[in-house]
Amino acid sequence: SEGASRASCFLGRAAQGQELMAGLGARSVLVTGANRGIGLELVRQLLSSPDPPQHLFVCSRQPDGQRGQELRTLISNHPNVTMVKLDVTDPTTIKEAATYVEGHLKGTGLNVLINNAAIFTDLSLEAAHPEDMLNEYKTNVIGPLLVSQAFLPLLKMAAKGGSQKGLSCSRAAIINISSSMGSVELVSHTYIKPAVPYRCSKAALNMLTKCQSLSYKEDGILCSAVHPGWVKTDMGTQAASQCPHQIIWLQCWQVAQNTAYAITGGTRPQADLTVDDSVRGILSVLSKLDDRHSGILVNWKGEKLPW
Ligand code: NDP
């Protein structure tokens, strides 16, 4: 397919789910939206990787509430993990989180910031109201922008601190979890489902990633956008449940993942990737990123996707 031919695998067999768990080689990592879905699994796998971070900051907008329960249980026996309150739509909690993390790191800097938190609003061109667009932008674009701004001094500190020269996640990186639905070039393959607020927000996040990569290259900070696949999380399931019945569905996420079109007439499409496989892939890809991969959109399998 056209979409498939445009996804070039540049990281070899980076991540097919069977690979041994990869370590990032990062001393410190921060994950936003860590209380469920891909964020929670990132925490789980980072903790059980061969070289877990010495400092893992796991962020949630309600760390003490019911929503944070699973995360609290997961990290309960891990002294290297710190739970941090961070709502990406609230500049005050972002600033407080950065100050708190800075105090914890004691002058060593933050190696990896993973902007994972997001919302998904599936509305058509006709149904999307200004409020829907603004809400989506607030969380999915302005959130990562403000979080990156707040943690930039710590990322710069990490980049300067070590002896490494090139770009890598073991030195300093901003990883924006994006989506192939934000790819303008792939949109003719993915437009069966409009999700206009979400698409526009992820396209903007892709642009933000590119700008960050150019601006922070000289500072030694790698900046890449990662598409996790269509994953069985609350969001992935929500995406499926909002699809109309009885359509001929081109599994657009799969196109972007370089697999053949799967045409499933009359059935409701389902997220096809377990969160375990997606995150195993993402971590494997992250561990291999270098100067050549800053400012690109890459999927969980290590394939470069078009913007
Ligand atoms: P989920 O809906 O399962 O989880 C979303 C996470 O983001 C939750 O932890 C949620 O916290 C958090 N979050 C939402 N709003 C805020 C906020 N204002 N401040 C802080 N945290 C917030 O989504 P996934 O795990 O599936 O998605 C993770 C990332 O992967 C997202 O960026 C998404 O766009 C991307 N993605 C996912 C795909 C999929 O198929 N699942 C496909 C392509 C991309 P709370 O519990 O408080 O709401």
Side-chain angles (χ1 to χ4, degrees):
S1 72
E2 191 190 349
S5 68
R6 286 183 190 185
S8 54
C9 190
F10 68 99
L11 290 170
R13 279 192 71 259
Q16 301 293 339
Q18 295 92 17
E19 191 169 279
L20 281 177
M21 194 170 293
L24 283 189
R27 187 176 176 274
S28 54
V29 179
L30 183 141
V31 183
T32 66
N35 59 298
R36 60 189 167 99
I38 290 168
L40 183 69
E41 186 62 24
L42 278 167
V43 174
R44 197 189 313 276
Q45 292 194 21
L46 280 168
L47 285 176
S48 51
S49 74
D51 60 345
Q54 286 172 41
H55 299 280
L56 180 54
F57 300 98
V58 298
C59 302
S60 164
R61 54 180 157 179
Q62 284 176 357
D64 302 324
Q66 181 60 35
R67 282 178 173 271
Q69 181 58 55
E70 210 177 335
L71 180 59
R72 284 200 301 277
T73 306
L74 173 65
I75 67 172
S76 57
N77 291 323
H78 295 276
N80 55 331
V81 186
T82 309
M83 210 163 178
V84 181
K85 181 179 169 72
L86 196 162
D87 180 336
V88 301
T89 64
D90 179 353
T92 305
T93 68
I94 294 174
K95 282 191 196 121
E96 285 172 358
T99 305
Y100 183 74
V101 168
E102 185 182 6
H104 249 264
L105 287 173
K106 300 189 177 84
T108 54
L110 177 70
N111 296 115
V112 185
L113 163 62
I114 304 183
N115 283 312
N116 165 74
I119 55 171
F120 175 87
T121 308
D122 178 22
L123 291 171
S124 67
L125 284 172
E126 291 73 23
H129 288 290
E131 273 304 295
D132 303 312
M133 297 299 290
L134 289 171
N135 277 343
E136 206 85 352
Y137 267 70
K138 240 179 155 179
T139 307
N140 297 2
V141 190
I142 301 170
L145 171 71
L146 296 185
V147 173
S148 302
Q149 286 172 347
F151 286 93
L152 185 62
L154 289 174
L155 289 161
K156 283 185 179 174
M157 199 183 283
K160 274 203 199 110
S163 54
Q164 296 183 57
K165 289 279 170 272
L167 302 181
S168 70
C169 282
S170 56
R171 187 179 177 197
I174 297 173
I175 302 299
N176 293 324
I177 304 296
S178 188
S179 170
S180 61
M181 288 186 78
S183 164
V184 174
E185 210 170 312
L186 289 176
V187 80
S188 56
H189 303 283
T190 65
Y191 198 62
I192 292 162
K193 184 175 191 52
V196 170
Y198 184 72
R199 268 177 203 290
C200 292
S201 74
K202 291 297 188 180
L205 179 65
N206 290 346
M207 177 57 85
L208 176 69
T209 309
K210 191 75 189 182
C211 295
Q212 288 174 326
S213 73
L214 295 174
S215 295
Y216 303 149
K217 187 177 171 197
E218 294 310 314
D219 296 310
I221 303 170
L222 179 145
C223 305
S224 303
V226 176
H227 166 61
W230 191 8
V231 191
K232 294 174 186 170
T233 61
D234 293 341
M235 185 183 292
T237 314
Q238 179 197 354
S241 67
Q242 289 175 355
C243 288
H245 280 294
Q246 307 302 323
I247 57 168
I248 300 296
W249 175 264
L250 301 177
Q251 283 192 321
C252 49
W253 277 274
Q254 291 200 342
V255 172
Q257 289 165 33
N258 201 15
T259 58
Y261 282 140
I263 299 177
T264 55
T267 57
R268 186 189 289 264
Q270 300 291 335
D272 58 352
L273 200 54
T274 64
V275 70
D276 177 76
D277 281 347
S278 169
V279 168
R280 201 172 294 272
I282 292 169
L283 289 177
S284 173
V285 169
L286 296 192
S287 71
K288 294 181 172 77
L289 296 178
D290 62 31
D291 297 60
R292 295 165 298 170
H293 316 123
S294 196
I296 66 160
L297 170 63
V298 60
N299 72 9
W300 65 284
K301 293 197 285 190
E303 296 158 347
K304 181 180 177 187
L305 303 184
W307 290 118

